[in-house]
Amino acid sequence: MNLDRRLLSFLKEVRLPFLGTVVFAFVASLATIGQAWYLSRIIDLSFLKRYNLEQVLPLILIFIVLTLGRFLSNWFSEISGSAMTAKIKLDLRQKLIGHLNKVSPILIDLERRGELSNTIHNGVEALDDYFKTYIPQLFKAVLIPLVILIFIFPLDILSGIVFLFTAPVIPVFMILIGKLAEAATKKQWKTLSSMSAFLLDVIEGLTTLKILNRSKSQIAKIESISEAFRRTTMKVLQIAFLSALALEMAATLSTAVIAVEIGLRLLYAKMAFVDALFILILAPEFYQPMRMLGASFHSGMEGFEAAQRMFEIFELPAQSVAFNRQLKIENKIPAIEFKDVYYTYPGAKTPALRGISFKIPPGQKTVLIGKSGSGKSTIFNLLLKYIQAERGEILLNSLNLNELNSEDWYEYISWVPQNPYLFHDTIAGNVRLTHPNATDEQVIEACKKAKLDDFISKLPHGYETLIGERGERLSGGQAQRIALARAFLKDAPILLMDEPTANLDPQLDREIQEILQTFSGNKTRFVIAHRLDTVKTADQILVLSQGKIQDCGSFDQLNQPGRYFSDINKTIMG
């Protein structure tokens, strides 16, 4: 019946509107019964007993009031359902985004962003029909027939028995067809998610595809995926239409059985006309909630399938955040120490780090070098608290990094990645990301330090120039300077840089190195490097190989025959 305890748990937060939906539906059912009761008497008095308009007018007025009451009850039930669904969708979307914020970026990078975006947006929207239509209709399908039976059994036991035995026919049909619908809807949702992920990949890589003259070849793939989605959608609609036909036939045949047994008894004067008409008017109303449940079953199926993917997202392990202690820096920079640290990525057979131990003295420049896959990025991921060490400790003075609140720790570090992410915003907006309340003067000063001010001043709109998504209107060197300007603006005591010049030509590399030298000596600078110029200016060099520290010391100490670091160019560029 597409019921999931995890989904139903969201109803706890919207008890009042959900209760309103059910209560108003109950009132509407009572009004429906009242309508049938007074309509049957109005017809009986008017056509059989020949009452005039004045005599039946009070009954007509009551019938009109009941009709208005039924309309208002259904309307209020819809309003309550809409309010309930809006609250659930808002809370669910906030919880999804909040949980993703707690998940390590390493795990998020393994997911397809297009599929995640589709789940957060379209998946949550698909729950609208599930909570607004399907769940309330499930209660109506039980409540309304039960209320009608309570009124019919005292009046006519035989009709009540017929109602009771024909009622399960519609749910049986719905369950049988529902198994086919479930498989088809699951396939439809997976196809839609795959299509969303593929389209986002194509759009993001469109420039590369054009350069490689492969953009047109993607048209066939898009057509194929679109056609697959069309076929699965038509399959779902086919099942939905067949389901509607089967349920209509079941309800019509059940109503016909009621009509036949009532008609036969009327023919032999075994039943009063007014009672027979009352039951006959109620017969379609008795089966209507179950027919509507069949229709809402298909509309809510997509939301149910989308919810399964949402719960998979919730199962992604969140990073543990401790609030019992906070980092306290009083006019000094903490020493960073790794003590026998181990880490293995999920699904990997060999550890990325194997008993790493080293110290980063405060206020000095430490450079980390090594071949690709040696564990450099893993060390930075540990410092950024994207992951946590399996064994060992990372100490900041005497404090364990894992015991610190991540938000407090991030206040003391500036992060300059190899490929800085730039948003579709102005230059000032992107620089101000690390210090939202910074004044224009502070932003300009940071850009001057990053040697970006001359370039910006030549732009028509200056600092208010939009740079496009991911900084598409900027060169690699300009984008890197914006990342450095962010670091200057934040002015944190610890600066982490992950190969900031790896993708730049030698000239830009030298310019960036000159900018890096302007960082004052009272800051700890920890750099992953691939180039010789970066290494030469280091106070300490750590040579990493296969997850272990193979050598350490200054450039002069390590660049000696017999040291692991002696073939420096091969080590760095490897």
Side-chain angles (χ1 to χ4, degrees):
M1 294 297 288
N2 279 357
L3 295 178
D4 191 304
R5 290 183 179 179
R6 296 170 296 182
L7 274 176
L8 295 180
S9 65
F10 289 111
L11 295 176
K12 295 178 182 179
E13 306 296 327
V14 287
R15 291 188 182 93
L16 190 59
F18 177 69
L19 183 62
T21 302
V22 176
V23 169
F24 284 123
F26 176 74
V27 173
S29 67
L30 293 178
T32 302
I33 295 172
Q35 279 183 295
W37 177 266
Y38 281 97
L39 182 61
S40 63
R41 269 136 190 82
I42 290 170
I43 294 174
D44 178 61
L45 294 175
S46 300
F47 293 97
L48 295 183
K49 297 183 180 178
R50 305 293 181 180
Y51 277 38
N52 57 35
L53 178 61
E54 185 178 355
Q55 290 175 304
V56 298
L57 185 59
L59 298 181
I60 294 175
L61 292 176
I62 295 175
F63 176 80
I64 293 174
V65 171
L66 289 171
T67 302
L68 181 62
R70 180 181 179 182
F71 168 77
L72 291 175
S73 296
N74 286 326
W75 185 50
F76 285 128
S77 181
E78 286 288 328
I79 291 176
S80 297
S82 297
M84 172 186 70
T85 305
K87 179 69 165 59
I88 289 175
K89 290 193 298 183
L90 178 63
D91 290 347
L92 182 57
R93 192 170 276 122
Q94 289 177 341
K95 288 178 180 178
L96 277 171
I97 296 175
H99 181 74
L100 286 174
N101 282 333
K102 297 176 182 177
V103 173
S104 168
I106 307 301
L107 294 179
I108 295 178
D109 285 343
L110 298 176
E111 303 287 337
R112 300 191 72 177
R113 286 172 293 172
E115 193 271 339
L116 279 178
S117 176
N118 179 63
T119 300
I120 294 173
H121 184 265
N122 295 331
V124 174
E125 287 300 320
L127 286 173
D128 189 275
D129 287 332
Y130 184 84
F131 285 107
K132 183 180 178 180
T133 306
Y134 177 67
I135 295 298
Q137 192 60 43
L138 193 61
F139 281 85
K140 293 177 185 178
V142 175
L143 184 64
I144 294 177
L146 183 61
V147 173
I148 291 175
L149 285 176
I150 291 174
F151 281 87
I152 287 180
F153 261 110
L155 193 65
D156 184 33
I157 295 178
L158 180 58
S159 295
I161 292 174
V162 174
F163 274 122
L164 193 61
F165 278 93
T166 55
V169 174
I170 296 177
V172 168
F173 272 99
M174 189 177 68
I175 291 171
L176 292 176
I177 298 174
K179 292 185 179 296
L180 294 174
E182 183 177 1
T185 305
K186 184 180 295 185
K187 185 177 180 181
Q188 181 199 28
W189 177 255
K190 288 183 178 179
T191 305
L192 176 61
S193 297
S194 298
M195 183 171 65
S196 299
F198 180 76
L199 286 176
L200 182 61
D201 287 343
V202 170
I203 291 171
E204 288 186 338
L206 193 57
T207 302
T208 303
L209 292 171
K210 282 184 173 294
I211 293 172
L212 298 175
N213 197 26
R214 300 294 297 169
S215 58
K216 292 183 179 180
S217 66
Q218 300 301 311
I219 295 176
K221 292 183 179 180
I222 293 174
E223 288 179 350
S224 176
I225 295 175
S226 300
E227 177 62 21
F229 180 65
R230 185 193 67 81
R231 287 197 301 268
T232 55
T233 301
M234 295 305 295
K235 182 66 175 179
V236 172
L237 291 176
Q238 180 185 15
I239 295 173
F241 286 135
L242 289 175
S243 172
L245 175 63
L247 296 180
E248 288 291 338
M249 288 183 61
T252 302
L253 291 174
S254 299
T255 303
V257 172
I258 295 292
V260 169
E261 64 92 6
I262 288 177
L264 289 174
R265 284 191 290 159
L266 274 176
L267 184 64
Y268 292 100
K270 299 293 185 179
M271 190 176 189
F273 173 80
V274 65
D275 294 339
L277 185 58
F278 170 68
I279 294 173
L280 197 59
I281 292 172
L282 278 183
E285 300 293 342
F286 179 83
Y287 300 108
Q288 178 69 11
M290 287 177 279
R291 289 162 53 197
M292 294 299 296
L293 178 61
S296 62
F297 174 83
H298 295 283
S299 61
M301 178 76 74
E302 184 180 357
F304 179 82
E305 293 301 331
Q308 306 313 305
R309 172 58 180 142
M310 294 177 207
F311 292 127
E312 289 178 7
I313 295 175
F314 281 124
E315 289 173 0
L316 292 174
Q319 294 174 287
S320 60
V321 179
F323 294 91
N324 57 330
R325 303 178 72 181
Q326 294 184 355
L327 180 64
K328 305 236 182 242
I329 298 179
E330 299 177 356
N331 299 322
K332 64 179 182 179
I333 309 170
I336 302 173
E337 182 179 3
F338 278 58
K339 296 181 67 174
D340 198 29
V341 172
Y342 286 79
Y343 184 78
T344 305
Y345 285 100
K349 295 181 179 179
T350 57
L353 297 179
R354 310 178 186 188
I356 289 286
S357 296
F358 62 87
K359 291 182 180 181
I360 302 177
Q364 293 188 10
K365 179 181 178 181
T366 299
V367 172
L368 183 63
I369 65 173
K371 295 182 179 181
S372 179
S374 59
K376 303 186 300 296
S377 296
T378 304
I379 290 176
F380 269 46
N381 288 334
L382 287 167
L383 280 175
L384 291 168
K385 298 199 72 171
Y386 290 169
I387 54 179
Q388 290 187 356
E390 297 171 353
R391 290 163 51 190
E393 294 179 312
I394 303 174
L395 301 178
L396 306 171
N397 290 340
S398 61
L399 301 177
N400 191 316
L401 179 61
N402 290 338
E403 296 179 357
L404 303 176
N405 180 5
S406 296
E407 294 182 1
D408 292 337
W409 166 234
Y410 291 153
E411 289 296 322
Y412 296 102
I413 60 175
S414 289
W415 167 236
V416 181
Q418 181 178 344
N419 297 304
Y421 193 95
L422 302 180
F423 293 90
H424 183 66
D425 197 354
T426 63
I427 293 176
N430 273 279
V431 173
R432 215 180 246 114
L433 191 65
T434 55
H435 188 356
N437 299 321
T439 63
D440 292 341
E441 291 74 16
Q442 289 174 314
V443 172
I444 294 172
E445 181 62 27
C447 289
K448 285 181 178 179
K449 291 180 179 180
K451 295 187 178 181
L452 194 62
D453 183 63
D454 290 342
F455 162 73
I456 298 173
S457 61
K458 295 177 183 178
L459 297 173
H461 301 288
Y463 282 84
E464 297 306 312
T465 301
L466 288 172
I467 61 176
E469 190 172 357
R470 299 198 175 201
E472 289 184 353
R473 300 175 186 174
L474 302 177
S475 67
Q478 291 161 351
Q480 202 67 53
R481 284 186 176 92
I482 288 182
L484 291 170
R486 288 173 176 172
F488 279 118
L489 185 63
K490 187 173 183 179
D491 196 28
I494 300 173
L495 179 64
L496 304 178
M497 292 180 286
D498 183 1
E499 305 179 85
T501 63
N503 298 322
L504 305 180
D505 58 51
Q507 176 61 32
L508 287 174
D509 177 39
R510 285 191 292 271
E511 292 179 7
I512 297 297
Q513 292 301 332
E514 292 175 3
I515 295 171
L516 293 177
Q517 293 303 318
T518 62
F519 281 95
S520 57
N522 64 344
K523 297 183 185 300
T524 297
R525 288 153 292 165
F526 192 21
V527 186
I528 292 178
H530 270 171
R531 292 191 171 175
L532 191 60
D533 290 342
T534 307
V535 176
K536 284 182 177 180
T537 59
D539 298 301
Q540 176 182 228
I541 301 170
L542 302 174
V543 184
L544 196 63
S545 178
Q546 297 181 350
K548 295 181 179 181
I549 298 293
Q550 296 292 345
D551 214 341
C552 65
S554 66
F555 178 77
D556 292 334
Q557 291 172 336
L558 296 180
N559 196 27
Q560 299 292 330
R563 299 295 293 264
Y564 185 86
F565 185 68
S566 59
D567 192 0
I568 186 168
N569 288 316
K570 182 178 178 181
T571 303
I572 297 176
M573 301 306 295

